[in-house]
Amino acid sequence: MEYPDNEMREAIAVVLAFVSAMNDWEIRRYYRSRVDHGYEFTAERDSRLAGPMSADELDAQYLSLFGQYCTDRKRKYGGFPGSFSAKGRYCGISENTVVEVIRPKPARIELICTGGEFPDQQYKFVVFKTDKGWLIDNAYTRNMKNEWDRCHL
């Protein structure tokens, strides 16, 4: 997909870097949780995925990643390391899965892409231009009625 300007490319790059970093974090945090709860790994690969960081260190890393890629605003339910999965919430999202890029306002870009934990799942990331550059403010996922529901980052 061709993008008409550098700012759109920058906003897309922020979203893709965020989903990649968060997927990596979720996978490591998931396996760390398994280790911490006494799960015995049967594969060496699974043990390596847990890594050397403690749960507290991983949670601090989450907050750092969130601060790097997302706007700084009060979030009622999101913005803290409350959940994680073995594949990562945003698995499969890449530059190749970008469906649409919309710019409704000069300082706002909406990026729609396919991917995630469920088949045919779509996310819409709302990205704002700030004094720190492009940052993710919200995310939505499409429901079965083809409507957008806000989801937790």
Side-chain angles (χ1 to χ4, degrees):
M1 178 178 277
E2 293 289 324
Y3 306 108
D5 62 46
N6 284 335
E7 287 193 324
M8 279 190 169
R9 286 190 286 276
E10 290 170 11
I12 292 165
V14 166
V15 170
L16 295 177
F18 172 77
V19 299
S20 176
M22 290 308 284
N23 281 338
D24 179 61
W25 177 86
E26 278 195 52
I27 292 165
R28 288 183 293 124
R29 185 63 177 89
Y30 171 83
Y31 283 101
R32 171 51 49 205
S33 176
R34 302 281 297 218
V35 167
D36 291 351
H37 287 93
Y39 177 80
E40 292 186 33
F41 293 106
T42 57
E44 184 179 325
R45 173 183 114 10
D46 292 345
S47 182
R48 282 195 316 269
L49 286 172
M53 294 176 85
S54 70
D56 288 341
E57 290 170 320
L58 284 165
D59 290 351
Q61 183 184 47
Y62 172 92
L63 296 173
S64 174
L65 290 170
F66 199 86
Q68 181 180 351
Y69 295 108
C70 299
T71 57
D72 182 24
R73 69 173 176 87
K74 184 175 171 112
R75 296 171 195 279
K76 191 170 183 179
Y77 299 108
F80 61 91
S83 67
F84 35 84
S85 69
K87 291 183 181 180
R89 177 182 327 178
Y90 309 112
C91 61
I93 294 176
S94 71
E95 188 171 4
N96 296 331
T97 66
V98 174
V99 175
E100 189 174 5
V101 182
I102 305 162
R103 191 168 196 171
K105 297 179 182 179
R108 178 185 174 121
I109 291 175
E110 298 174 1
L111 173 69
I112 299 172
C113 47
T114 58
E117 298 175 280
F118 306 106
D120 300 323
Q121 187 171 6
Q122 285 191 327
Y123 279 96
K124 175 168 60 172
F125 294 93
V126 177
V127 188
F128 289 154
K129 178 76 175 215
T130 71
D131 59 344
K132 296 178 185 177
W134 290 97
L135 295 174
I136 301 167
D137 191 63
N138 287 306
Y140 298 84
T141 188
R142 199 179 297 271
N143 66 27
M144 298 191 62
K145 295 179 183 177
N146 207 28
E147 300 167 332
W148 291 107
D149 290 330
R150 186 181 303 245
C151 62
H152 307 300
L153 286 169

